[in-house]
Amino acid sequence: MDDWYSVIAAESDLSPDAARQLHDAGFVVIPGPEIQGGWARLCAAYDRAVLTADPSDVSIRSSTRVHDFVNRGPEFDGLYIYPPVLAACCRIIGRPFKLSTMLARTLEPGATGAAASCGRQARSRWVAAGWFHPHG
């Protein structure tokens, strides 16, 4: 059952420089996946998914958050199964894991950049892996 973890960890698509930055800084910026249909298609799918989300999946603070993006459409599949993201998860977590959620997050007008930050707590049981994309 844990064979998939061994395969992902062994075939890491994370460059040595990216792995070092991830270890030293706790995050790394990597080039994103090829977006099938282009960014315009992905942005339209994102907007549609956010606008049609069940209210119980939405919270609004300094950003609008929509939970369960894994199940919002095939346009998002390439993001959470992107090999460098999975390789980074393997390095951070260091054991078999389950991707339990994918969250959409759009900053509200007037929100500061601090509202977009996320941290990693070294001794916790949770890890956040994420990405930003240009929108609008």
Side-chain angles (χ1 to χ4, degrees):
M1 182 61 103
D2 295 337
D3 290 345
W4 63 267
Y5 174 81
S6 299
V7 170
I8 292 170
E11 296 177 5
S12 173
D13 284 357
L14 212 53
S15 72
D17 286 341
R20 186 171 27 264
Q21 183 179 356
L22 179 63
H23 179 267
D24 294 346
F27 73 95
V28 64
V29 176
I30 55 176
E34 187 71 29
I35 304 299
Q36 190 175 29
W39 281 104
R41 180 173 177 249
L42 182 66
C43 289
Y46 178 93
D47 289 342
R48 185 174 50 256
V50 169
L51 290 171
T52 61
D54 186 283
S56 66
D57 289 337
V58 179
S59 64
I60 300 174
R61 292 178 230 147
S62 58
S63 63
T64 297
R65 299 172 187 196
V66 179
H67 296 270
D68 195 29
F69 242 67
V70 171
N71 295 309
R72 304 259 175 218
E75 297 89 353
F76 308 107
D77 293 349
L79 299 176
Y80 67 86
I81 62 168
Y82 185 47
V85 170
L86 293 176
C89 290
C90 286
R91 288 182 174 273
I92 293 167
I93 299 167
R95 61 182 177 183
F97 58 89
K98 176 183 175 187
L99 296 175
S100 59
T101 190
M102 188 164 89
L103 175 74
R105 194 164 171 192
T106 303
L107 290 179
E108 292 297 313
T112 66
S117 67
C118 64
R120 177 182 124 195
Q121 294 184 351
R123 290 189 168 77
S124 74
R125 292 184 177 256
W126 58 268
V127 173
W131 56 90
F132 292 94
H133 68 84
H135 185 55

